[in-house]
């Protein structure tokens, strides 16, 4: 590499003959890509271990590939999507071929079009599509160096892409530094730990770096002391004297390795005059590497002519200024920046801010102004806060939080500074960064809090625990917040109350009475305040009644709140403001509570769309969990599995589990319906344990509901009676209402008429208030089980009519099965055949093996010939293959399927080929006629 003087600059790590294991793994990835298979790999290890050398080896070996580079820069971490910007800029000419939403979101990332809050998953899909399209012409290698310094938004996108590469001829190779507390975001991506060189290879590198003789004992000591670290081996000879290398003079103790290696680079800085050091400092302080910008900033601080200053700076071998500004190694940038005094660093940032456009580059300018400030500066804090709001709208929640943090540090007024810190904590939480939210909360509370801030801080702490899934701890913090907040502060009070309502709805029976009643009083009082938006008053009032043990009285208010939310989504979301995701949780859980499956469907669709669109990675797993749970009840386990996979992906990415724990509840319910006994029992047991430990009552309710379905499916009514009784005892509305219907069925079959009668009386009380088809069908069916003759027949017919108005295939099939069983026992075998046949077809389509076996047995007992049941032709399909097959059979084109499932078109084509082979079909027309799982 030229140093600008026509001389060759020495490479940091000479190409060495070792690393056979690592190079073998990487070479295999490249060969797979040439055979139309994609792959990802993360190289991890300490600084200087040789990760960058392996990346260079890969680039050299990838002569047939288009190579795209992304390099993390520590000072660039505060700029959202900066890494994505690096990745996609060379491919900008290919944007026109992208679907419109994907093209627009990438243009927004580049700043060429306005766009509010890009969905990180949509950005990820756009990048994946872009790479797959490029690989159609030539295999693509994406090289990501220093991933530990990639901004959070870009890291989310890169991790998304890495986990979805499959058949695109793309290799993504990332190198990240290992530290005791490091988290690089590449969860679920294959990882290769890069260790030091073997002694023979280390000795070879050391001797190749020495321009004089080296004593064998000294060489052995250096190899041992560096633990084979290539950076240390390559640099040590330059700071040791010839006498030390020959063994004539003792080696320094300790040796300058590890963190002390930065002194090597600092010593080279001392070769520069003041202007040279200032120029290099400016380069280290500016993330973009734009020589034009640096030249303008240098005109402010440097007296030496630009060309002369650049020539002197490049002569050190630390930095190059053409075609862009690049440091020889990330440690060089850090060494340069931190060897300067605080005053010198502030001057550099001030010069950069001075030459940046206040309009077109306002966010970067605000960041440099913040770094240039020597003390409290409200004007700069206001600029940082304004930039934070812009970044938040653009989907950069974590970056927005960093701006707020710096704004708080510069805020003269302590009360205003605390407000900004607490808002920064909640902004981090929206992005799923709980640990950072806690850091900011700790900073805010360390200064001491007044009454208003105590409530605000307690609310923030409650949200952190809520996102982490610990409802009990969250409830305790909210109890404190409720005692400190004034209802005059409507915005804060609303946030606290809706969070309290979400906690109470999700874990009522695990909260102590005083906490529960305090939440009820606060919700009731706030719901009566005129300044509270109308769509939320009914929700607050309904939850207040439910918390105060007035479940039946709460239903009309909850029903009205749910209807208002579904009727005018825009008004509802505007009314909820910053609390929209917590309010959505309470509203969706209310829809579940009143057994309104259609509103449940509408609201979860809207919630998932909003969470995706705003990059709310903390809320999205919860929304997907509710969505997939409903899809199981709708008899669509394949669609549920697809949403569950996405939710689990998010949980792995963020660590956020939320009120439902992981989205495991829907999976356990799916296991129960499909008769997977071991999986259901293990999953239910885990949910109960976590529910009791962390106060997640809804998880306990769901576990009992799944166990009851499992037992009823197998005809084990005594066991079903026990689990249903537990479900009734814990559940208040919703799951508790369904449990009452299950209890009535189990008790009737066990001859426990009194138990069944009491269950039906309680059920009627709930149903009269709910007035939904689902609720009415449950009551009619339960009464039919306890009736005889024409009365039973009329009740069953009415139940079938009511449940047909719902979206719930599972309940429709169960009602048909029970009616068919009753008809057969009433010796009306001919009449029994149709409902039993309907039940059998539904159960088979959704893979409900236990229920299907019962239906088939009953149908055979009517004298009807039942074909020998075999697994559906699509039973061998994986969940993703089944989802792709269903969409293709419905007429969706490959790029439309890819957009829905957040995968590449190449991956869709790959899976469709496997689907065709497994199903024995040769076209989409035949696929549409095949028997596919729901």
């Amino acid at each position: 590499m030229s140093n600008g003087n026509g001389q060759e600059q020495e490479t940091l790590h000479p190409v060495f003959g070792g690393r056979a294991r690592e190079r073998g793994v990487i070479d295999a990835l490249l060969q797979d890509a040439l055979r139309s298979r994609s792959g990802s790999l993360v190289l991890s290890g300490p600084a200087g271990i040789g990760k960058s050398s392996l990346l260079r080896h890969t680039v050299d070996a990838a002569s047939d590939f288009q190579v795209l580079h992304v390099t993390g820069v520590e000072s660039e971490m505060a700029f959202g999507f900066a890494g994505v910007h690096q990745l996609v800029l060379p491919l900008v000419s290919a944007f026109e071929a992208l679907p419109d939403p994907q093209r627009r979101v990438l243009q927004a990332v580049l700043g060429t079009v306005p766009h509010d809050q890009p969905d990180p998953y949509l950005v990820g899909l756009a990048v994946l599509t872009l790479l797959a399209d490029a690989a159609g012409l030539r295999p693509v290698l994406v090289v990501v160096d220093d991933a530990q310094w990639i901004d959070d938004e870009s890291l989310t996108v890169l991790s998304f892409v890495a986990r979805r590469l499959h058949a695109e001829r793309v290799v993504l190779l990332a190198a990240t530094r290992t530290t005791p507390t490091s988290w690089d975001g590449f969860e679920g991506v294959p990882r290769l730990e890069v260790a030091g060189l073997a002694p023979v290879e280390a000795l070879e590198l050391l001797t190749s770096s020495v321009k004089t003789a080296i004593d064998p004992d000294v060489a052995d000591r250096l190899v041992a002391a560096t633990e084979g670290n290539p950076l240390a081996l390559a640099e040590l000879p330059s700071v040791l004297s010839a006498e030390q290398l020959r063994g004539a003079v003792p080696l320094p103790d300790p040796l300058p390795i590890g963190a002390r290696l930065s002194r090597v680079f600092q010593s080279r800085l001392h070769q520069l005059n003041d202007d040279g050091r200032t120029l290099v400092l400016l380069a280290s302080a500016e993330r973009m590497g734009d020589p034009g910008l640096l030249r303008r900033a240098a005109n402010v601080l440097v007296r030496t002519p630009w060309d002369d200053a650049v020539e002197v700076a490049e002569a050190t071998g630390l930095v190059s200024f053409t075609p862009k500004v690049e440091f020889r190694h990330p440690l060089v940038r850090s060494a340069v920046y931190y060897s300067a005094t605080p005053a010198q660093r502030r001057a550099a940032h001030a010069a950069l801010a001075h030459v940046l456009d206040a309009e077109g580059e306002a966010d970067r300018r605000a960041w440099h102004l913040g770094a240039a400030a020597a003390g409290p500066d409200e004007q700069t804090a206001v600029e940082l806060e304004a930039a934070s709001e812009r970044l938040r709208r653009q989907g950069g929640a974590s970056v927005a939080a960093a701006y707020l943090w710096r704004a708080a540090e510069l805020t003269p007024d302590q009360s205003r500074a605390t407000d900004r810190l607490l808002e920064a904590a909640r902004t981090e939480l929206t992005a799923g960064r709980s640990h950072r939210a806690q850091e900011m909360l700790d900073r805010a509370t360390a200064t001491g809090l007044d009454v208003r801030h105590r409530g605000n801080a307690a609310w923030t702490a409650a949200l952190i625990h809520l996102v982490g899934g610990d409802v009990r701890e969250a409830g305790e913090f909210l109890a404190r917040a409720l005692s400190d907040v004034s209802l005059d502060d409507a915005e804060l009070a609303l946030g606290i109350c809706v969070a309290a309502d979400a906690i109470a709805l999700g874990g009522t029976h695990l909260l102590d009475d005083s906490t529960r009643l305090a939440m009820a009083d606060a919700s009731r009082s706030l719901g009566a305040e005129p300044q509270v938006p109308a769509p939320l008053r009914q929700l607050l009032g309904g939850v207040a009644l439910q918390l105060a043990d007035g479940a039946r009285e709460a239903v009309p208010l909850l029903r009205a709140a749910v209807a208002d939310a579904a009727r005018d989504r825009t008004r509802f979301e505007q009314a909820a403001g910053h609390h929209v995701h917590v309010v959505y949780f309470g509203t969706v859980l209310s829809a579940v509570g009143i057994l309104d499956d259609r509103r449940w469907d509408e609201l979860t669709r809207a919630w998932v769309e909003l969470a995706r669109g705003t990059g709310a990675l903390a809320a999205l797993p919860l929304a997907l969990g509710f969505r997939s749970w409903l899809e199981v009840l709708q008899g669509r386990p394949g669609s549920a599995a697809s949403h569950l996979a996405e939710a689990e992906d998010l949980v792995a990415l963020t660590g956020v589990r939320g009120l439902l724990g992981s989205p495991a509840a829907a999976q356990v319910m799916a296991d129960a319906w499909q008769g997977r006994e071991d999986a259901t029992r293990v999953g239910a047991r885990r949910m109960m344990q976590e529910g009791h430990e962390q106060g997640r009552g809804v998880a306990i309710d769901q576990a009992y509901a799944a166990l009851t379905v499992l037992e009823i499916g197998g005809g084990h009514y005594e066991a079903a009676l026990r689990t249903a009784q537990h479900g009734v005892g814990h559940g208040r509305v919703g799951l508790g209402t369904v449990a009452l219907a299950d209890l009535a069925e189990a008790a009737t079959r066990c001859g426990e008429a009194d138990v069944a009668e009491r269950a039906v009386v309680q059920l009627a009380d709930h149903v009269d208030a709910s007035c939904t088809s689902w609720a009415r069908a449950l009551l009619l069916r339960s009464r039919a089980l306890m009736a005889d003759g024409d009365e039973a027949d009329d009740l069953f017919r009415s139940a079938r009519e009511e449940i047909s108005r719902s979206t719930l295939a599972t309940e429709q099939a169960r009602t048909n099965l029970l009616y068919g069983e009753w008809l057969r026992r009433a010796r009306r075998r001919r009449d029994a055949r149709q409902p039993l046949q309907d039940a059998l077809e539904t159960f088979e389509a959704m893979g409900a093996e236990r229920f299907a076996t019962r239906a088939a047995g009953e149908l055979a007992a009517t004298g009807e010939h039942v074909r020998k049941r075999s697994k559906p032709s699509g039973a061998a399909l994986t969940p993703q293959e089944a989802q792709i097959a269903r969409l293709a059979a419905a007429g969706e084109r490959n790029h439309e399927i890819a957009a829905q499932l957040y995968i590449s078109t190449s991956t869709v084509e790959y899976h469709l080929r496997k689907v065709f082979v497994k199903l024995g079909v040769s076209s989409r027309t035949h696929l549409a006629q095949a028997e596919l799982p729901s």
Side-chain angles (χ1 to χ4, degrees), residues 907-921:
T907 297
V908 173
E909 293 167 352
Y910 172 83
H911 283 305
L912 270 180
R913 288 195 295 270
K914 294 181 69 177
V915 167
F916 283 2
V917 171
K918 288 183 178 182
L919 299 184
V921 300

Side-chain angles (χ1 to χ4, degrees), residues 666-728:
Q667 184 59 61
V668 175
M669 182 61 84
D671 289 336
W673 271 103
Q674 296 184 338
R676 292 190 284 265
E677 182 167 2
D678 290 346
T680 304
R681 296 193 189 284
V682 170
R685 187 160 51 246
R686 182 177 61 251
M687 288 171 63
M688 288 182 190
Q689 180 180 348
E690 293 179 354
H692 281 291
E693 289 174 352
Q694 300 178 345
R696 283 191 266 114
V698 69
I700 298 172
D701 296 342
Q702 289 169 318
Y704 279 122
L707 289 172
T708 302
V709 167
L710 180 72
E711 303 296 5
I712 287 177
H716 306 146
Y717 279 109
E718 289 186 359
L721 181 64
R722 292 192 295 271
T723 56
Q725 284 174 322
H726 282 294
V728 170

Side-chain angles (χ1 to χ4, degrees), residues 249-560:
V249 174
L251 293 171
D253 187 19
L255 285 167
I257 59 176
R260 294 180 295 278
L261 193 58
S262 63
R263 296 173 191 166
V264 174
F265 303 127
Q266 291 173 8
S267 68
R268 297 185 191 179
L269 284 174
H270 295 321
Q271 302 170 17
L272 295 171
N273 60 21
D274 289 345
D275 279 350
R277 283 195 293 273
T278 299
L279 177 61
V280 177
L281 173 60
L282 281 168
S284 73
E286 189 3 69
R287 70 184 182 92
M288 297 300 290
D290 178 359
L293 173 63
L294 284 180
R295 185 167 190 161
R296 297 198 304 274
N299 288 337
V300 177
L301 294 179
V302 177
R303 291 165 297 179
T304 304
W306 170 258
D307 290 340
D308 294 341
V310 166
E311 181 177 353
V312 171
E314 288 188 331
T316 64
L318 297 176
V319 63
S320 161
F321 286 83
T322 54
K324 63 180 294 188
V325 181
E326 291 186 289
F327 283 89
R328 183 178 175 191
H329 189 277
L331 286 179
V332 176
R333 180 186 288 271
S334 295
V336 168
Y337 188 81
Y338 290 107
S339 66
T341 66
Q344 290 168 334
R345 293 198 294 269
R346 289 194 296 272
H349 285 291
L352 289 164
H354 178 73
V355 298
L356 281 167
D357 180 16
E359 294 295 328
E361 298 168 308
D363 297 343
R364 287 171 64 197
R365 180 176 180 274
W367 182 257
H368 283 299
L369 284 174
D377 184 341
E378 179 61 21
Q379 181 177 348
T380 297
V382 168
E383 289 198 37
L384 285 165
E385 188 173 35
S388 170
E389 185 58 33
R390 288 191 297 270
L391 289 163
R392 192 206 307 260
R393 289 197 303 269
Q394 294 165 9
S398 191
V399 178
Y403 274 64
L404 278 171
W405 188 323
R406 181 57 179 157
E409 290 179 322
L410 297 178
T411 303
D413 179 72
Q414 185 58 54
S415 177
R416 186 75 187 97
T418 301
D419 285 335
R420 285 169 171 158
L421 273 175
L422 292 173
E423 184 60 33
R426 291 191 291 274
T427 302
E428 285 283 25
L429 200 58
T430 299
R433 320 289 183 190
S434 300
H435 61 292
R436 294 188 187 174
Q438 186 63 55
E439 289 174 10
M440 294 184 185
L441 175 60
D442 292 343
R443 178 74 67 91
T445 56
T447 59
L449 302 173
D450 58 22
V451 172
R452 184 177 70 86
H453 284 123
R454 279 203 301 272
N456 197 333
W459 171 39
T460 305
L463 291 177
I464 292 173
H465 285 288
L466 186 63
V467 165
D470 195 334
V471 181
R472 198 185 304 277
E473 283 291 323
E476 292 180 6
F477 275 104
L478 275 175
R480 297 180 210 170
L482 290 168
S483 65
D484 288 328
V485 71
S486 168
L487 293 180
D488 293 335
D489 191 344
E491 172 75 8
L492 177 59
L494 178 62
I496 293 174
C497 283
V498 293
D501 294 345
I503 287 173
L505 287 167
T508 305
H509 55 277
L510 297 177
L511 297 175
D512 63 75
D513 286 344
S514 61
T515 299
R516 178 169 55 81
L517 293 176
M519 291 177 178
D521 288 342
S523 293
R524 182 185 303 107
S525 299
L526 187 60
E529 292 290 322
Q531 67 266 40
V532 174
L536 304 184
R537 289 183 200 158
Q538 294 167 128
L539 178 64
L540 290 167
V543 173
L545 285 170
Q546 184 170 330
L547 294 179
D549 289 321
R552 189 184 191 286
E553 294 76 13
V555 170
L557 285 173
L558 295 178
R559 187 172 65 240

